Amino acid sequence: MKKAKGEEGSISMDMISDLPKDILQRILSLLSQKDAVRTSALSKSWRYVWCTRPNLDFSDDTFVGSVKEFQTAVDNALQRYRDQSLCLEEFRLSIWLDGYLSRESVSLLDKWIPLFRNMGVKDFRLSVISGRQVEYVTTLPGVVLEAESLKYLYVRRFGLSPGNTILFKRIKRIHLDECRIDGDMLDKIISSCPLIESMHLERCRGLADVKVNGLRNLKDFYYEEFEEKRHHPSIEIDYPSSLETVNIIYGDMVWFRNADFCMLDRLYLHGVSSSFELFSTCEFPILKSLFIISCSGLEESSNLYINAPNILYFEYNSDRWSTLSISFATTSNEWDSHVTLPYWPSSSDKLVSISQLLNSLSQSKIFLTISRCALELPCLSDVPYNGCNKPVAVEGLKLKFEVYSFSFRVRSIFQSCRPRKIYVYFVCKWDLVYLWESALMQGESGNQDQLREQWHRDLEEVRVEIYDDRNNGWHPITLSSGSEFPECREWENISPRFSLKWREA
Amino acid sequence: MAAETGTPTTLTLKSNDDELFSVAESAAILSVTIRNMVEDGCAGGVIPLDNVDGKTLASVITYMNGISAIPADEEKKKSYRDKFLSDKDFETLADMVLAANYLNMSCLMDAVSAKIAQVMEKKSVGWVRRKFGIENDYTPEEEAAVKEEHKWTFEGVETDDDN
């Protein structure tokens, strides 16, 4: 091996330059275009190594130069590989087309794709992004759909014309974003491309119903409707056992009785308006994260059973009031549930249903967020306080309404839950003092309300803590009636929390 | 063959500095080169590997034994490879990649190539030269011309102290 003059008098071996050229090309094939081209400056023997690596990557968004220069660079590279009969196995191309140039640039695809088809490219990855308004999309050139070597396709803001033949039968990932595509075309893609592993349909137009059948390798499925209020299309997947993640945003999911999602790791359902009746019969043996956000399909249900024994994270967010209890088929208590409710109610039956929901999740660490609070004050004499809805331990309670409203609801909140931490928003210094004195500390002085006594007896200690950016941690401040209040910087930017210690029942 | 006799067949491999190594046939045939020799019936005596030294061969055999003991689980195999390569210096990696190439072991080849590529990722020319001991034989004018030609590849690069 060649000895090189090392720095600081040491001699070091050049361990890499003497490797056979095909090995060097293999190493360079694993680098981005930018990193690979830069090796040309290492030494004379490295000058042209990158030129013949078996892959070309023009997806680098760090390419510096005009659209024209970019096109020339692609043109030259393809020409060079063809002229020298070099092996080109992998080709990555990412083009962003603005409104004016798109016609010309799209026609380049007509030129390039047939060119490297003849060069034996096995792995072609293409992103085509148009800057046009979604209303004025142009049609994706048919040559893209005919590129047999396509493994990955990302298309943004183009129309897919149903007249074209689909020849990319070995494609693995297809991502259509804000495209105009009709149902027949989608059916055609699905039936032509059985190897699809990842399918994203994001805010596309023209789709009525989506049927995903026969994709035995499908791992990731993402559907997002382009408009929230429109009638949701129904989404029917024949649930291949390969599914790992499913995201549905504003679609009507079709569930099948007793479906076994044996590889599903993450399920995200947002604005799903179809019924959850059959969902409860499905099995999710390894599901770790489940999100049920604003799903009106749940409004009819009173109990949602989820057969997910290995759940770690559950998020439930409801815009409207419901009387739902949720039970998980798990024996673990090492999981978190994040529940967001639209408001803290005043009526006693709604308070009971909050207790029921929290009780049903009490095996997990509960984090509860309340967005608003009802205008009327709770009528406490109506609230039953008995064993069946005893307060549930809650790790964190986030109140996204004014502290002032909170202080009137302390009693009804503590009747349903026993939060270890209370996070308050929109707080000013005087709010905090007020809250402290009027709500949390009042039990000691006078007013021996029976209910207040109940929670106050259980409350062992309350501390106020403030987040300190400098130490990235919470630190307690002293806050007692009549004592000197700490002068903090910019009170407007501070989020304090209360840390509560409850006596064991 | 193992399947016929019921006892595992052991092969003897000889490095180019005349060290002998015993290795189970089931592990050794990860190398397509060795597998072809076995299939051609050349495995009776000692298999000479003229392009691999003893130190590297010992390492390759450790890898062969380790990876073949893991059942078909790509995740576990990958983590074994990562661990196996984690403490290797660049000189060893270069020897390994040559050995893997000669022995035609694509999984080891890919793993070592990826490891070397990873070292070069986003690094400045000067840094890569120092790391691999590459002598810069460009004249300052030539180097400036190369850099000018591919100017965009020199922007936003880590450890950009001296290029």
Side-chain angles (χ1 to χ4, degrees), chain B residues 4-157:
Chain B
E4 290 155 20
T5 60
T7 50
T9 310
T10 307
L11 303 179
T12 306
L13 309 180
K14 190 172 91 177
S15 67
N16 63 4
D17 45 3
D18 294 332
E19 263 191 83
L20 295 176
F21 297 89
S22 290
V23 58
E25 185 187 298
S26 57
I29 57 171
L30 275 172
S31 151
V32 177
T33 308
I34 295 175
R35 194 173 70 204
N36 289 342
M37 288 178 172
V38 171
E39 281 168 4
D40 294 346
C42 314
V46 172
I47 299 180
L49 300 170
D50 297 338
N51 286 357
V52 190
D53 63 33
K55 179 173 165 269
T56 310
L57 188 55
S59 213
V60 170
I61 288 170
T62 307
Y63 171 82
M64 283 172 163
N65 288 330
I67 204 87
S68 61
I70 299 168
D73 181 336
E74 224 8 80
E75 288 279 301
K76 283 190 185 133
K77 286 188 191 243
K78 191 187 170 303
S79 74
Y80 175 80
R81 275 194 283 268
D82 290 347
K83 195 163 166 274
F84 176 74
L85 294 176
S86 64
D87 59 347
K88 303 281 183 285
D89 58 30
F90 296 111
E91 196 177 342
T92 312
L93 288 176
D95 289 339
M96 296 275 280
V97 83
L98 284 168
N101 189 46
Y102 170 71
L103 293 168
N104 198 351
M105 292 173 69
S106 58
C107 63
L108 183 60
M109 182 78 191
D110 288 345
V112 181
S113 303
K115 177 96 185 173
I116 297 174
Q118 202 186 358
V119 174
M120 302 168 82
E121 240 168 51
K122 297 188 172 70
K123 294 295 192 298
S124 73
V125 168
W127 193 92
V128 175
R129 278 191 198 128
R130 277 199 304 281
K131 197 82 186 172
F132 292 110
I134 298 170
E135 187 186 2
N136 177 15
D137 53 3
Y138 281 126
T139 64
E141 295 74 28
E142 284 169 338
E143 188 177 344
V146 174
K147 286 186 174 174
E148 181 58 31
E149 190 182 338
H150 305 296
K151 210 171 166 182
W152 71 279
T153 67
F154 294 91
E155 285 169 24
V157 172

Side-chain angles (χ1 to χ4, degrees), chain A residues 63-249:
Chain A
F63 185 86
V64 182
S66 68
V67 175
K68 198 78 208 157
E69 282 166 338
F70 176 76
Q71 290 166 359
T72 312
V74 178
D75 250 349
N76 290 346
L78 280 174
Q79 204 65 42
R80 183 163 44 76
Y81 273 75
R82 202 180 61 158
D83 293 349
Q84 300 178 31
S85 307
L86 297 170
C87 166
L88 183 60
E89 288 173 4
E90 197 184 295
F91 185 72
R92 294 185 192 200
L93 178 65
S94 178
I95 39 178
W96 196 91
L97 308 163
D98 63 32
Y100 302 105
L101 283 167
S102 64
R103 207 168 289 277
E104 186 198 341
S105 307
V106 166
S107 69
L108 284 171
L109 291 173
D110 284 325
K111 179 181 158 195
W112 290 337
I113 292 175
L115 197 66
F116 66 73
R117 184 189 292 153
N118 298 327
M119 294 163 66
V121 170
K122 291 189 205 86
D123 190 345
F124 174 34
R125 297 170 195 219
L126 175 68
S127 300
V128 209
I129 298 164
S130 160
R132 282 179 175 244
Q133 291 294 315
V134 70
E135 290 79 12
Y136 308 108
V137 295
T138 49
T139 306
L140 190 71
V143 71
V144 171
L145 305 178
E146 290 163 10
E148 294 102 332
S149 53
L150 207 56
K151 289 281 172 65
Y152 169 88
L153 176 65
Y154 175 91
V155 183
R156 181 150 197 251
R157 291 190 181 165
F158 276 93
L160 271 69
S161 157
N164 289 114
T165 326
I166 292 162
L167 295 178
F168 50 64
K169 296 179 189 302
R170 304 192 67 78
I171 198 162
K172 288 196 169 168
R173 299 175 66 200
I174 184 162
H175 190 148
L176 306 174
D177 187 0
E178 297 190 13
C179 287
R180 189 171 289 282
I181 173 175
D182 67 16
D184 284 351
M185 187 60 187
L186 185 65
D187 290 346
K188 212 159 119 181
I189 292 176
I190 290 169
S191 60
S192 312
C193 311
L195 301 179
I196 291 178
E197 290 177 4
S198 169
M199 175 175 258
H200 280 229
L201 302 168
E202 202 168 332
R203 300 190 302 276
C204 289
R205 307 202 177 198
L207 286 172
D209 291 321
V210 177
K211 277 193 178 170
V212 183
N213 291 327
L215 298 184
R216 302 331 306 169
N217 296 310
L218 189 66
K219 287 183 181 165
D220 304 310
F221 181 78
Y222 182 102
Y223 179 86
E224 183 177 346
E225 181 58 33
F226 79 95
E227 206 174 23
E228 176 184 342
K229 280 173 191 158
R230 224 189 67 153
H231 164 71
H232 297 168
S234 82
I235 296 166
E236 191 183 313
I237 312 176
D238 61 351
Y239 302 126
S241 53
S242 51
L243 268 181
E244 291 174 7
T245 66
V246 173
N247 287 263
I248 307 289
I249 300 167

Side-chain angles (χ1 to χ4, degrees), chain A residues 235-298:
Chain A
I235 296 166
E236 191 183 313
I237 312 176
D238 61 351
Y239 302 126
S241 53
S242 51
L243 268 181
E244 291 174 7
T245 66
V246 173
N247 287 263
I248 307 289
I249 300 167
Y250 301 117
D252 278 359
M253 201 63 186
V254 179
W255 303 103
F256 295 116
R257 186 171 294 279
N258 301 328
D260 183 3
F261 292 82
C262 56
M263 294 299 284
L264 196 68
D265 181 74
R266 184 179 194 274
L267 177 60
Y268 184 95
L269 303 169
H270 187 153
V272 172
S273 49
S274 48
S275 161
F276 276 70
E277 197 191 327
L278 293 177
F279 177 84
S280 286
T281 70
C282 299
E283 289 173 38
F284 304 95
I286 64 163
L287 188 72
K288 294 200 178 58
S289 321
L290 173 65
F291 301 77
I292 301 180
I293 314 285
S294 308
C295 289
S296 58
L298 263 180

